[in-house]
Amino acid sequence: MEPKVYINGKLYPKNEAKVSVFDHGLLYGDGVFEGIRCYNGVVFKLEEHVGRLYESAEAIALEIMLTKDELRNAILDTLKANNLRDSYIRLIVTRGVGKLGLDPFNCGESQLIIITDSIQLYSKELYDKGLDTIIVRTIRNHPDALNPTVKSMNYLNNILAKIECIKAGAAEGIMLNKDGYVAECTGDNIFIVKDNEVFTPPASAGILIGITRNVVIELAEEAGITVKEEQMTPDDLFNADECFLTGTAAEIIPVANIDGRKIATGKPGKITLLLLGKYQELTTSHPST
Ligand code: PMP
């Protein structure tokens, strides 16, 4: 069966799912998106992802033509039409078709696209071994310019960082903020473990508030582990007992080394493995909607 893609209320076979070259999403990266996973027929943290999509849209004065309920149903209908129980869902809202020139108010209605596909960022081996990472030179967008809390279609900041890390042979790039503190990775949030406590940069570091990040914080606290949202420096990373990354696509993945320096033994640490186990339990037992 050919995959079907949802565009503005209709399902199109994958090869016929197209948008106009005059869509400001294409012309200017003007739009917002979400990446969501569906595990065994249950969309993981659907409420939270839909909530973040609307907040991102609000931040760029973009109107989504569906209510949250309608959007949730459109996602579920698209999964059903594709007969998918395990999937990676890409929700995209573009500014819509307009004239050349930046003015977003020239555009017609925003376009809603739902792609249901799969994603595997890293091999199974890397989940066992941990990632090689580097600290990139590209700094994370200044929050007063383009706030990283907005999950916009304009990912060039992250792509520049990704190019740096690929050229260096690393799997992920750790981005610092304008003040030299650790922010996040090109497509993941970052955590360290030090003396049995878990640390992650705060919102004020200029990061996307990851939904996986929030789940991991909850799981750690439920397990009686102290979690601190604190500014951290590259030295804090190098001196960590453990380091791992979180994201919808990557889930939880250990970091083996940063800039060629091993994190502790270079093997995934015990708190990382504990949280990974709990995350897997949660996504396979699916108490969330
Ligand atoms: N930071 C960035 C820059 C991201 O693009 C993402 C999502 N890929 C994340 C963090 C993780 O967010 P989430 O856990 O909500 O997928």
Side-chain angles (χ1 to χ4, degrees):
M1 187 186 73
E2 196 179 1
K4 296 187 190 77
V5 176
Y6 172 106
I7 307 178
N8 302 327
K10 282 201 203 138
L11 288 167
Y12 297 86
K14 185 176 169 177
N15 289 336
E16 289 162 36
K18 293 181 179 151
V19 291
S20 164
V21 294
F22 290 96
D23 191 309
H24 280 208
L26 175 74
L27 289 172
Y28 303 113
D30 187 353
V32 294
F33 76 102
E34 278 296 317
I36 315 174
R37 271 191 191 268
C38 179
Y39 296 100
N40 198 18
V42 179
V43 183
F44 188 62
K45 299 288 169 193
L46 179 56
E47 201 64 37
E48 287 80 351
H49 282 285
V50 167
R52 189 171 66 183
L53 183 81
Y54 276 77
E55 279 175 21
S56 294
E58 180 72 29
I60 67 161
L62 173 67
E63 190 186 353
I64 300 177
M65 304 318 291
L66 299 187
T67 63
K68 287 185 183 175
D69 261 353
E70 288 167 339
L71 177 55
R72 275 191 293 265
N73 286 332
I75 296 169
L76 299 177
D77 290 347
T78 309
L79 285 168
K80 213 178 201 172
N82 284 288
N83 208 9
L84 286 170
R85 295 186 59 76
D86 288 280
S87 170
Y88 178 80
I89 305 158
R90 175 56 53 93
L91 267 185
I92 306 156
V93 185
T94 72
R95 184 70 69 178
V97 176
K99 295 185 193 145
L100 294 180
L102 292 183
D103 184 354
F105 304 110
N106 253 327
C107 298
E109 289 188 347
S110 65
Q111 315 280 315
L112 171 65
I113 299 165
I114 306 171
I115 302 170
T116 50
D117 204 329
S118 61
I119 195 164
Q120 184 173 13
L121 294 185
Y122 306 114
S123 66
K124 162 89 179 64
E125 193 198 350
L126 285 176
Y127 284 86
D128 297 336
K129 240 179 59 184
L131 295 180
D132 293 341
T133 66
I134 60 164
I135 297 175
V136 294
R137 267 183 300 172
T138 305
I139 63 160
R140 190 71 177 102
N141 277 335
H142 190 304
D144 293 342
L146 179 56
N147 198 321
T149 55
V150 177
K151 198 163 169 59
S152 86
M153 285 171 61
N154 211 307
Y155 251 52
L156 275 177
N157 178 222
N158 314 57
I159 291 166
L160 291 175
K162 191 82 191 175
I163 290 170
E164 267 189 70
C165 79
I166 291 168
K167 295 275 184 208
E172 246 298 15
I174 299 167
M175 303 179 79
L176 306 180
N177 65 20
K178 60 180 184 356
D179 300 318
Y181 289 106
V182 177
E184 60 180 334
C185 293
T186 67
D188 302 305
N189 291 112
I190 187 164
F191 285 77
I192 58 171
V193 178
K194 184 75 184 170
D195 298 332
N196 294 314
E197 291 182 333
V198 168
F199 296 83
T200 194
S204 60
I207 59 170
L208 179 73
I209 308 298
I211 285 161
T212 321
R213 172 187 181 274
N214 292 347
V215 171
V216 166
I217 291 174
E218 263 175 46
L219 288 174
E221 286 175 344
E222 273 166 29
I225 301 166
T226 304
V227 181
K228 293 180 177 160
E229 295 181 54
E230 279 181 11
Q231 298 279 21
M232 56 176 84
T233 63
D235 271 339
D236 293 326
L237 298 182
F238 298 139
N239 290 316
D241 299 329
E242 303 179 31
C243 179
F244 62 89
L245 313 181
T246 66
T248 297
E251 303 175 306
I252 299 177
I253 186 149
V255 170
N257 68 69
I258 303 173
D259 285 349
R261 304 193 196 194
K262 266 192 206 162
I263 302 303
T265 61
K267 303 246 160 43
K270 69 173 194 311
I271 292 185
T272 306
L273 292 175
L274 177 104
L275 293 171
L276 225 156
K278 290 198 174 292
Y279 192 78
Q280 277 162 355
E281 264 171 43
L282 188 63
T283 52
T284 46
S285 64
H286 44 70
S288 112
T289 49

PDB file of all heavy atoms in Angstrom, residues 37 39 88 119-122 127 131 172 187-189 212 245-254 276 279:
ATOM      1  N   ARG A  37       6.186  10.497  18.176  1.00  0.00           N
ATOM      2  CA  ARG A  37       6.244   9.044  17.929  1.00  0.00           C
ATOM      3  C   ARG A  37       4.946   8.377  18.340  1.00  0.00           C
ATOM      4  O   ARG A  37       4.287   8.816  19.303  1.00  0.00           O
ATOM      5  CB  ARG A  37       7.390   8.409  18.718  1.00  0.00           C
ATOM      6  CG  ARG A  37       8.711   8.397  17.964  1.00  0.00           C
ATOM      7  CD  ARG A  37       9.700   7.517  18.695  1.00  0.00           C
ATOM      8  NE  ARG A  37      11.043   7.659  18.189  1.00  0.00           N
ATOM      9  CZ  ARG A  37      11.580   6.896  17.233  1.00  0.00           C
ATOM     10  NH1 ARG A  37      10.872   5.949  16.659  1.00  0.00           N
ATOM     11  NH2 ARG A  37      12.833   7.080  16.855  1.00  0.00           N
ATOM     12  N   TYR A  39       3.769   4.631  19.505  1.00  0.00           N
ATOM     13  CA  TYR A  39       4.259   3.314  19.905  1.00  0.00           C
ATOM     14  C   TYR A  39       3.074   2.380  20.075  1.00  0.00           C
ATOM     15  O   TYR A  39       2.170   2.683  20.861  1.00  0.00           O
ATOM     16  CB  TYR A  39       4.978   3.402  21.257  1.00  0.00           C
ATOM     17  CG  TYR A  39       6.242   4.242  21.276  1.00  0.00           C
ATOM     18  CD1 TYR A  39       6.218   5.549  21.768  1.00  0.00           C
ATOM     19  CD2 TYR A  39       7.469   3.721  20.861  1.00  0.00           C
ATOM     20  CE1 TYR A  39       7.377   6.313  21.828  1.00  0.00           C
ATOM     21  CE2 TYR A  39       8.634   4.479  20.923  1.00  0.00           C
ATOM     22  CZ  TYR A  39       8.583   5.770  21.409  1.00  0.00           C
ATOM     23  OH  TYR A  39       9.729   6.516  21.480  1.00  0.00           O
ATOM     24  N   TYR A  88       6.790   7.446  13.138  1.00  0.00           N
ATOM     25  CA  TYR A  88       7.292   8.785  13.477  1.00  0.00           C
ATOM     26  C   TYR A  88       6.419   9.753  12.684  1.00  0.00           C
ATOM     27  O   TYR A  88       6.295   9.638  11.460  1.00  0.00           O
ATOM     28  CB  TYR A  88       8.761   8.918  13.082  1.00  0.00           C
ATOM     29  CG  TYR A  88       9.319  10.283  13.358  1.00  0.00           C
ATOM     30  CD1 TYR A  88       9.716  10.655  14.647  1.00  0.00           C
ATOM     31  CD2 TYR A  88       9.445  11.222  12.338  1.00  0.00           C
ATOM     32  CE1 TYR A  88      10.227  11.920  14.900  1.00  0.00           C
ATOM     33  CE2 TYR A  88       9.959  12.484  12.595  1.00  0.00           C
ATOM     34  CZ  TYR A  88      10.346  12.820  13.875  1.00  0.00           C
ATOM     35  OH  TYR A  88      10.843  14.070  14.123  1.00  0.00           O
ATOM     36  N   ILE A 119      11.610   6.658  11.535  1.00  0.00           N
ATOM     37  CA  ILE A 119      12.895   7.369  11.639  1.00  0.00           C
ATOM     38  C   ILE A 119      13.838   6.539  12.493  1.00  0.00           C
ATOM     39  O   ILE A 119      13.419   5.927  13.480  1.00  0.00           O
ATOM     40  CB  ILE A 119      12.688   8.790  12.238  1.00  0.00           C
ATOM     41  CG1 ILE A 119      13.924   9.670  12.022  1.00  0.00           C
ATOM     42  CG2 ILE A 119      12.337   8.742  13.723  1.00  0.00           C
ATOM     43  CD1 ILE A 119      13.663  11.164  12.228  1.00  0.00           C
ATOM     44  N   GLN A 120      15.077   6.443  12.060  1.00  0.00           N
ATOM     45  CA  GLN A 120      16.101   5.864  12.945  1.00  0.00           C
ATOM     46  C   GLN A 120      17.357   6.708  12.793  1.00  0.00           C
ATOM     47  O   GLN A 120      18.024   6.691  11.758  1.00  0.00           O
ATOM     48  CB  GLN A 120      16.391   4.396  12.609  1.00  0.00           C
ATOM     49  CG  GLN A 120      17.388   3.861  13.625  1.00  0.00           C
ATOM     50  CD  GLN A 120      17.664   2.377  13.547  1.00  0.00           C
ATOM     51  OE1 GLN A 120      17.297   1.708  12.586  1.00  0.00           O
ATOM     52  NE2 GLN A 120      18.343   1.873  14.567  1.00  0.00           N
ATOM     53  N   LEU A 121      17.639   7.497  13.822  1.00  0.00           N
ATOM     54  CA  LEU A 121      18.780   8.405  13.725  1.00  0.00           C
ATOM     55  C   LEU A 121      20.093   7.671  13.926  1.00  0.00           C
ATOM     56  O   LEU A 121      21.087   7.993  13.293  1.00  0.00           O
ATOM     57  CB  LEU A 121      18.662   9.517  14.769  1.00  0.00           C
ATOM     58  CG  LEU A 121      17.507  10.508  14.595  1.00  0.00           C
ATOM     59  CD1 LEU A 121      17.602  11.601  15.637  1.00  0.00           C
ATOM     60  CD2 LEU A 121      17.506  11.107  13.204  1.00  0.00           C
ATOM     61  N   TYR A 122      20.099   6.708  14.849  1.00  0.00           N
ATOM     62  CA  TYR A 122      21.347   6.033  15.203  1.00  0.00           C
ATOM     63  C   TYR A 122      21.147   4.526  15.206  1.00  0.00           C
ATOM     64  O   TYR A 122      20.044   4.040  15.486  1.00  0.00           O
ATOM     65  CB  TYR A 122      21.808   6.486  16.595  1.00  0.00           C
ATOM     66  CG  TYR A 122      21.913   7.984  16.725  1.00  0.00           C
ATOM     67  CD1 TYR A 122      21.062   8.687  17.570  1.00  0.00           C
ATOM     68  CD2 TYR A 122      22.846   8.698  15.978  1.00  0.00           C
ATOM     69  CE1 TYR A 122      21.142  10.073  17.676  1.00  0.00           C
ATOM     70  CE2 TYR A 122      22.933  10.076  16.074  1.00  0.00           C
ATOM     71  CZ  TYR A 122      22.072  10.756  16.925  1.00  0.00           C
ATOM     72  OH  TYR A 122      22.154  12.109  17.020  1.00  0.00           O
ATOM     73  N   TYR A 127      23.483   2.914  20.585  1.00  0.00           N
ATOM     74  CA  TYR A 127      22.742   2.990  21.858  1.00  0.00           C
ATOM     75  C   TYR A 127      23.485   2.186  22.932  1.00  0.00           C
ATOM     76  O   TYR A 127      23.434   2.518  24.108  1.00  0.00           O
ATOM     77  CB  TYR A 127      21.305   2.474  21.690  1.00  0.00           C
ATOM     78  CG  TYR A 127      20.435   3.500  20.992  1.00  0.00           C
ATOM     79  CD1 TYR A 127      20.386   3.569  19.602  1.00  0.00           C
ATOM     80  CD2 TYR A 127      19.707   4.430  21.723  1.00  0.00           C
ATOM     81  CE1 TYR A 127      19.632   4.524  18.957  1.00  0.00           C
ATOM     82  CE2 TYR A 127      18.941   5.397  21.079  1.00  0.00           C
ATOM     83  CZ  TYR A 127      18.913   5.438  19.697  1.00  0.00           C
ATOM     84  OH  TYR A 127      18.168   6.405  19.082  1.00  0.00           O
ATOM     85  N   LEU A 131      27.545   7.773  21.877  1.00  0.00           N
ATOM     86  CA  LEU A 131      27.888   8.595  20.705  1.00  0.00           C
ATOM     87  C   LEU A 131      29.212   9.319  20.879  1.00  0.00           C
ATOM     88  O   LEU A 131      29.576   9.712  21.989  1.00  0.00           O
ATOM     89  CB  LEU A 131      26.836   9.688  20.500  1.00  0.00           C
ATOM     90  CG  LEU A 131      25.411   9.313  20.137  1.00  0.00           C
ATOM     91  CD1 LEU A 131      24.586  10.587  19.996  1.00  0.00           C
ATOM     92  CD2 LEU A 131      25.391   8.505  18.851  1.00  0.00           C
ATOM     93  N   GLU A 172      26.903  13.799  16.915  1.00  0.00           N
ATOM     94  CA  GLU A 172      26.085  14.953  17.337  1.00  0.00           C
ATOM     95  C   GLU A 172      26.999  16.112  17.717  1.00  0.00           C
ATOM     96  O   GLU A 172      28.162  15.915  18.072  1.00  0.00           O
ATOM     97  CB  GLU A 172      25.183  14.588  18.528  1.00  0.00           C
ATOM     98  CG  GLU A 172      23.668  14.596  18.232  1.00  0.00           C
ATOM     99  CD  GLU A 172      23.071  15.956  17.813  1.00  0.00           C
ATOM    100  OE1 GLU A 172      23.808  16.903  17.445  1.00  0.00           O
ATOM    101  OE2 GLU A 172      21.834  16.080  17.839  1.00  0.00           O
ATOM    102  N   GLY A 187      19.736  18.443  17.505  1.00  0.00           N
ATOM    103  CA  GLY A 187      18.350  17.965  17.479  1.00  0.00           C
ATOM    104  C   GLY A 187      17.951  17.235  18.741  1.00  0.00           C
ATOM    105  O   GLY A 187      16.985  16.460  18.745  1.00  0.00           O
ATOM    106  N   ASP A 188      18.684  17.465  19.825  1.00  0.00           N
ATOM    107  CA  ASP A 188      18.423  16.760  21.090  1.00  0.00           C
ATOM    108  C   ASP A 188      18.749  17.671  22.271  1.00  0.00           C
ATOM    109  O   ASP A 188      19.593  18.557  22.146  1.00  0.00           O
ATOM    110  CB  ASP A 188      19.345  15.532  21.237  1.00  0.00           C
ATOM    111  CG  ASP A 188      19.196  14.555  20.096  1.00  0.00           C
ATOM    112  OD1 ASP A 188      18.075  14.119  19.848  1.00  0.00           O
ATOM    113  OD2 ASP A 188      20.213  14.245  19.447  1.00  0.00           O
ATOM    114  N   ASN A 189      18.156  17.379  23.404  1.00  0.00           N
ATOM    115  CA  ASN A 189      18.570  18.034  24.653  1.00  0.00           C
ATOM    116  C   ASN A 189      19.685  17.220  25.300  1.00  0.00           C
ATOM    117  O   ASN A 189      19.866  16.053  24.987  1.00  0.00           O
ATOM    118  CB  ASN A 189      17.382  18.152  25.615  1.00  0.00           C
ATOM    119  CG  ASN A 189      16.346  19.139  25.117  1.00  0.00           C
ATOM    120  OD1 ASN A 189      15.237  18.761  24.744  1.00  0.00           O
ATOM    121  ND2 ASN A 189      16.705  20.418  25.087  1.00  0.00           N
ATOM    122  N   THR A 212      10.711  14.979  25.410  1.00  0.00           N
ATOM    123  CA  THR A 212      11.446  13.837  25.979  1.00  0.00           C
ATOM    124  C   THR A 212      12.223  14.293  27.221  1.00  0.00           C
ATOM    125  O   THR A 212      12.280  13.575  28.219  1.00  0.00           O
ATOM    126  CB  THR A 212      12.430  13.263  24.934  1.00  0.00           C
ATOM    127  OG1 THR A 212      11.796  13.298  23.664  1.00  0.00           O
ATOM    128  CG2 THR A 212      12.832  11.843  25.260  1.00  0.00           C
ATOM    129  N   LEU A 245      21.748  12.127  25.746  1.00  0.00           N
ATOM    130  CA  LEU A 245      20.930  13.063  24.971  1.00  0.00           C
ATOM    131  C   LEU A 245      19.504  12.546  24.898  1.00  0.00           C
ATOM    132  O   LEU A 245      19.275  11.329  24.941  1.00  0.00           O
ATOM    133  CB  LEU A 245      21.479  13.219  23.548  1.00  0.00           C
ATOM    134  CG  LEU A 245      22.984  13.454  23.405  1.00  0.00           C
ATOM    135  CD1 LEU A 245      23.344  13.597  21.931  1.00  0.00           C
ATOM    136  CD2 LEU A 245      23.412  14.691  24.193  1.00  0.00           C
ATOM    137  N   THR A 246      18.554  13.461  24.756  1.00  0.00           N
ATOM    138  CA  THR A 246      17.153  13.048  24.655  1.00  0.00           C
ATOM    139  C   THR A 246      16.458  13.763  23.502  1.00  0.00           C
ATOM    140  O   THR A 246      16.725  14.927  23.220  1.00  0.00           O
ATOM    141  CB  THR A 246      16.361  13.387  25.947  1.00  0.00           C
ATOM    142  OG1 THR A 246      16.294  14.812  26.095  1.00  0.00           O
ATOM    143  CG2 THR A 246      16.978  12.778  27.184  1.00  0.00           C
ATOM    144  N   GLY A 247      15.552  13.066  22.855  1.00  0.00           N
ATOM    145  CA  GLY A 247      14.740  13.661  21.796  1.00  0.00           C
ATOM    146  C   GLY A 247      13.719  12.636  21.332  1.00  0.00           C
ATOM    147  O   GLY A 247      13.911  11.432  21.544  1.00  0.00           O
ATOM    148  N   THR A 248      12.663  13.101  20.697  1.00  0.00           N
ATOM    149  CA  THR A 248      11.621  12.182  20.234  1.00  0.00           C
ATOM    150  C   THR A 248      12.205  11.138  19.294  1.00  0.00           C
ATOM    151  O   THR A 248      11.917   9.953  19.426  1.00  0.00           O
ATOM    152  CB  THR A 248      10.517  12.982  19.517  1.00  0.00           C
ATOM    153  OG1 THR A 248       9.942  13.857  20.479  1.00  0.00           O
ATOM    154  CG2 THR A 248       9.454  12.079  18.938  1.00  0.00           C
ATOM    155  N   ALA A 249      13.014  11.564  18.345  1.00  0.00           N
ATOM    156  CA  ALA A 249      13.556  10.625  17.366  1.00  0.00           C
ATOM    157  C   ALA A 249      14.665   9.775  18.002  1.00  0.00           C
ATOM    158  O   ALA A 249      14.681   8.558  17.851  1.00  0.00           O
ATOM    159  CB  ALA A 249      14.077  11.369  16.149  1.00  0.00           C
ATOM    160  N   ALA A 250      15.578  10.402  18.734  1.00  0.00           N
ATOM    161  CA  ALA A 250      16.717   9.674  19.327  1.00  0.00           C
ATOM    162  C   ALA A 250      16.306   8.917  20.585  1.00  0.00           C
ATOM    163  O   ALA A 250      16.997   7.989  20.993  1.00  0.00           O
ATOM    164  CB  ALA A 250      17.828  10.653  19.676  1.00  0.00           C
ATOM    165  N   GLU A 251      15.242   9.299  21.221  1.00  0.00           N
ATOM    166  CA  GLU A 251      14.786   8.796  22.530  1.00  0.00           C
ATOM    167  C   GLU A 251      15.868   9.124  23.573  1.00  0.00           C
ATOM    168  O   GLU A 251      16.145  10.293  23.764  1.00  0.00           O
ATOM    169  CB  GLU A 251      14.410   7.316  22.438  1.00  0.00           C
ATOM    170  CG  GLU A 251      13.321   7.125  21.370  1.00  0.00           C
ATOM    171  CD  GLU A 251      12.940   5.699  21.099  1.00  0.00           C
ATOM    172  OE1 GLU A 251      13.839   4.897  20.798  1.00  0.00           O
ATOM    173  OE2 GLU A 251      11.736   5.385  21.172  1.00  0.00           O
ATOM    174  N   ILE A 252      16.509   8.130  24.190  1.00  0.00           N
ATOM    175  CA  ILE A 252      17.605   8.450  25.126  1.00  0.00           C
ATOM    176  C   ILE A 252      18.848   7.750  24.592  1.00  0.00           C
ATOM    177  O   ILE A 252      18.830   6.539  24.397  1.00  0.00           O
ATOM    178  CB  ILE A 252      17.311   7.928  26.550  1.00  0.00           C
ATOM    179  CG1 ILE A 252      16.033   8.576  27.100  1.00  0.00           C
ATOM    180  CG2 ILE A 252      18.510   8.194  27.473  1.00  0.00           C
ATOM    181  CD1 ILE A 252      15.625   8.055  28.482  1.00  0.00           C
ATOM    182  N   ILE A 253      19.895   8.511  24.353  1.00  0.00           N
ATOM    183  CA  ILE A 253      21.120   7.879  23.826  1.00  0.00           C
ATOM    184  C   ILE A 253      22.338   8.348  24.626  1.00  0.00           C
ATOM    185  O   ILE A 253      22.515   9.551  24.855  1.00  0.00           O
ATOM    186  CB  ILE A 253      21.274   8.115  22.298  1.00  0.00           C
ATOM    187  CG1 ILE A 253      22.471   7.317  21.756  1.00  0.00           C
ATOM    188  CG2 ILE A 253      21.372   9.590  21.923  1.00  0.00           C
ATOM    189  CD1 ILE A 253      22.331   6.851  20.345  1.00  0.00           C
ATOM    190  N   PRO A 254      23.166   7.402  25.072  1.00  0.00           N
ATOM    191  CA  PRO A 254      24.351   7.786  25.849  1.00  0.00           C
ATOM    192  C   PRO A 254      25.403   8.495  24.981  1.00  0.00           C
ATOM    193  O   PRO A 254      25.484   8.255  23.784  1.00  0.00           O
ATOM    194  CB  PRO A 254      24.913   6.440  26.332  1.00  0.00           C
ATOM    195  CG  PRO A 254      23.887   5.403  26.012  1.00  0.00           C
ATOM    196  CD  PRO A 254      23.028   5.945  24.921  1.00  0.00           C
ATOM    197  N   LEU A 276      16.949   4.902  30.654  1.00  0.00           N
ATOM    198  CA  LEU A 276      16.641   4.289  29.354  1.00  0.00           C
ATOM    199  C   LEU A 276      15.633   3.148  29.524  1.00  0.00           C
ATOM    200  O   LEU A 276      14.647   3.045  28.788  1.00  0.00           O
ATOM    201  CB  LEU A 276      17.936   3.744  28.759  1.00  0.00           C
ATOM    202  CG  LEU A 276      18.192   4.034  27.302  1.00  0.00           C
ATOM    203  CD1 LEU A 276      19.684   3.980  27.018  1.00  0.00           C
ATOM    204  CD2 LEU A 276      17.460   3.076  26.412  1.00  0.00           C
ATOM    205  N   TYR A 279      12.256   4.582  30.338  1.00  0.00           N
ATOM    206  CA  TYR A 279      11.659   5.206  29.152  1.00  0.00           C
ATOM    207  C   TYR A 279      11.062   4.124  28.245  1.00  0.00           C
ATOM    208  O   TYR A 279       9.956   4.265  27.720  1.00  0.00           O
ATOM    209  CB  TYR A 279      12.721   6.018  28.404  1.00  0.00           C
ATOM    210  CG  TYR A 279      12.143   6.930  27.347  1.00  0.00           C
ATOM    211  CD1 TYR A 279      11.539   8.137  27.703  1.00  0.00           C
ATOM    212  CD2 TYR A 279      12.191   6.588  26.001  1.00  0.00           C
ATOM    213  CE1 TYR A 279      10.996   8.976  26.736  1.00  0.00           C
ATOM    214  CE2 TYR A 279      11.654   7.424  25.034  1.00  0.00           C
ATOM    215  CZ  TYR A 279      11.065   8.617  25.408  1.00  0.00           C
ATOM    216  OH  TYR A 279      10.520   9.442  24.447  1.00  0.00           O
TER     217      TYR A 279
END
